[in-house]
């Protein structure tokens, strides 16, 4: 099992798919990394040599912000918005949708489970 950026990569998957298990790396970035290092798309993680794993690790460390650093940066950005008291920060603080979605009927993911209203039944 290869360990890249503090994440155990699944061994039986293709390298392009396995790299997406790292927070901050999606399909496009994983393909970019593989082409940069020179790994074919069909190659599986258990077929990688130690030098290729090291090259992938160095490429990610050099070019991308991933895992803990990325999570910290996103959290700091949200905290900054909340401290400013801007509209987006207030929506984060109240636990409501931030990007202008409808909240009258939907938004259950952000608002949590529906609460019963007392005195409604007759």
């Amino acid at each position: 099992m290869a360990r890249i950026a503090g994440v155990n990569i699944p061994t039986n998957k293709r390298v392009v798919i396995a790299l997406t298990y790292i927070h901050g790396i999606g399909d496009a970035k994983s393909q970019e990394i593989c082409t940069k290092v020179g790994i074919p798309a069909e190659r599986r993680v258990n077929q990688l040599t130690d030098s290729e794993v090291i090259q992938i690790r160095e490429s990610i460390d050099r070019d991308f912000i991933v895992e803990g650093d990325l999570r910290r940066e996103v959290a700091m950005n949200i905290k900054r918005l909340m401290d400013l008291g801007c509209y987006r920060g207030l929506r984060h603080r109240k636990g409501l949708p931030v990007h202008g979605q409808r909240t009258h009927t939907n938004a259950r993911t952000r608002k949590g489970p529906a609460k019963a209203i007392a005195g409604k039944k007759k």
Side-chain angles (χ1 to χ4, degrees):
M1 181 168 277
R3 189 165 175 84
I4 299 172
V7 177
N8 290 330
I9 303 295
T11 55
N12 55 348
K13 293 189 183 286
R14 293 188 300 131
V15 177
V16 178
I17 304 300
L19 285 177
T20 61
Y21 280 66
I22 300 170
H23 181 74
I25 294 180
D27 294 332
K29 285 185 181 177
S30 67
Q31 288 174 356
E32 180 185 329
I33 291 166
C34 287
T35 55
K36 224 182 260 187
V37 175
I39 296 172
E42 313 84 40
R43 184 79 65 85
R44 304 246 172 209
V45 174
N46 55 10
Q47 298 170 341
L48 289 176
T49 63
D50 290 337
S51 63
E52 287 174 332
V53 172
I54 291 170
Q55 283 180 319
I56 291 172
R57 196 176 293 141
E58 288 173 351
S59 175
I60 290 172
D61 289 342
R62 183 178 58 245
D63 298 334
F64 302 108
I65 300 171
V66 291
E67 281 301 321
D69 295 335
L70 180 62
R71 291 180 203 271
R72 194 174 310 108
E73 185 176 320
V74 170
M76 291 301 293
N77 289 341
I78 292 172
K79 186 177 181 317
R80 179 180 52 82
L81 290 172
M82 289 166 63
D83 291 342
L84 283 173
C86 64
Y87 182 78
R88 283 171 55 203
L90 295 176
R91 302 297 282 185
H92 274 291
R93 200 180 300 163
K94 291 178 183 176
L96 292 170
V98 179
H99 295 289
Q101 296 94 329
R102 172 189 185 91
T103 59
H104 178 69
T105 56
N106 296 331
R108 288 275 57 115
T109 302
R110 284 291 293 193
K111 291 166 72 173
K115 298 166 195 77
I117 301 171
K120 192 85 173 189
K121 198 163 68 170
K122 215 169 186 184

